[in-house]
Amino acid sequence: MGMPIDIDRYCKLVTMNDDELVASGIKNEVLERLHRIRAVYAYWLQFPKKFEKEVVTFDMGQFHVRHAQAYDDIRIVQLLLGNLQQASKDFMRWKINRDLEEDLKAARRAGDFRSVASIEKNRILNNRTDKEDEIELEYDKIIPQTFVPTDDPTVLGIKKVPNLRDRIRLLEKKYSVDENWRLQSEEVDYEELSDDRD
């Protein structure tokens, strides 16, 4: 794993052009890294189906960096711009529907009605039209509970002790330690126990 990076700094720097970067006085290695990050991102946008390993190979071949450095570059790209491998469910449903539509046309042209039925079944599963729509929770209507501090034990179901405060004061007065009072040790008789467990 590479050295920890200041992702907020890279967020600002990645959008600046080279003249602005040089004028801001950044180090040459940071400038080179920004060029790699931009190139990796552009490559991944052009070929979104490519896996990390293929993008690492591109980074290593294009910029002659080591394996660990290429993975570190990809990690920064994913932090800055999102992981391109984690497409949303809506996009995937649209893509699957488009592919199923093409397969359906081909199956109808071929007269393969068993495949048509199978494709329609898959389309129903993909779009979840056989199930009720999930109820959207209205989080904005949830009112947080307000807590009021209290010293009343009855709110917990504990019975109130009568005159408790007076009793506390009396006990404090009785057992409080004066500043002049010192704990004195007393000799106490004791008896040693033997370890015989018969």
Side-chain angles (χ1 to χ4, degrees):
M1 180 153 186
M3 294 288 291
I5 59 157
D6 183 359
I7 199 68
D8 294 328
R9 181 172 177 241
Y10 273 94
C11 247
K12 292 173 188 168
L13 295 177
V14 79
T15 58
M16 296 167 69
N17 65 37
D18 284 357
D19 295 333
E20 291 172 325
L21 291 169
V22 171
S24 67
I26 65 161
K27 294 179 182 177
N28 195 35
E29 61 229 22
V30 175
L31 184 63
E32 289 173 5
R33 176 173 247 185
L34 287 168
H35 288 163
R36 290 196 312 267
I37 289 169
R38 290 173 185 161
V40 165
Y41 178 65
Y43 180 75
W44 222 344
L45 275 182
Q46 189 177 2
F47 305 105
K49 291 185 180 178
K50 294 225 179 258
F51 293 104
E52 274 186 16
K53 189 176 180 183
E54 296 169 297
V55 180
V56 164
T57 306
F58 164 78
D59 195 8
M60 290 170 63
Q62 190 76 22
F63 296 100
H64 309 292
V65 292
R66 293 178 184 235
H67 199 259
Q69 183 63 58
Y71 269 107
D72 211 32
D73 290 344
I74 287 178
R75 183 175 62 92
I76 294 171
V77 168
Q78 289 173 342
L79 286 171
L80 288 172
L81 308 162
N83 189 346
L84 298 178
Q85 296 297 318
Q86 294 176 347
S88 69
K89 284 186 178 180
D90 290 337
F91 172 76
M92 286 309 294
R93 281 192 184 124
W94 172 81
K95 186 178 180 318
I96 291 167
N97 281 338
R98 194 186 69 184
D99 293 345
L100 288 173
E101 193 63 39
E102 293 297 319
D103 294 343
L104 189 63
K105 287 177 186 173
R108 284 191 175 141
R109 276 194 304 267
D112 187 1
F113 297 109
R114 186 173 286 183
S115 294
V116 169
S118 176
I119 291 168
E120 288 294 350
K121 182 180 176 185
N122 285 329
R123 187 169 20 195
I124 289 168
L125 290 174
N126 181 52
N127 295 310
R128 302 178 75 184
T129 52
D130 59 332
K131 297 180 180 173
E132 291 289 325
D133 290 339
E134 294 175 6
I135 300 169
E136 283 192 38
L137 297 175
E138 297 173 335
Y139 291 107
D140 57 330
K141 292 186 179 175
I142 295 174
I143 300 168
Q145 185 176 353
T146 53
F147 294 97
V148 180
T150 180
D151 63 350
D152 181 15
T154 56
V155 295
L156 296 172
I158 300 171
K159 290 182 182 177
K160 204 170 192 174
V161 177
N163 301 324
L164 180 65
R165 299 221 186 273
D166 294 334
R167 288 178 62 190
I168 290 171
R169 274 193 288 278
L170 285 172
L171 291 172
E172 280 178 346
K173 196 181 281 185
K174 183 177 178 182
Y175 293 107
S176 65
V177 179
D178 292 337
E179 290 179 20
N180 300 328
W181 184 82
R182 289 187 186 160
L183 183 64
Q184 295 178 353
S185 62
E186 298 178 17
E187 286 195 23
V188 179
D189 293 334
Y190 67 92
E191 179 183 332
E192 281 193 36
L193 296 176
S194 62
D195 199 18
D196 299 333
R197 297 181 182 157
D198 295 339

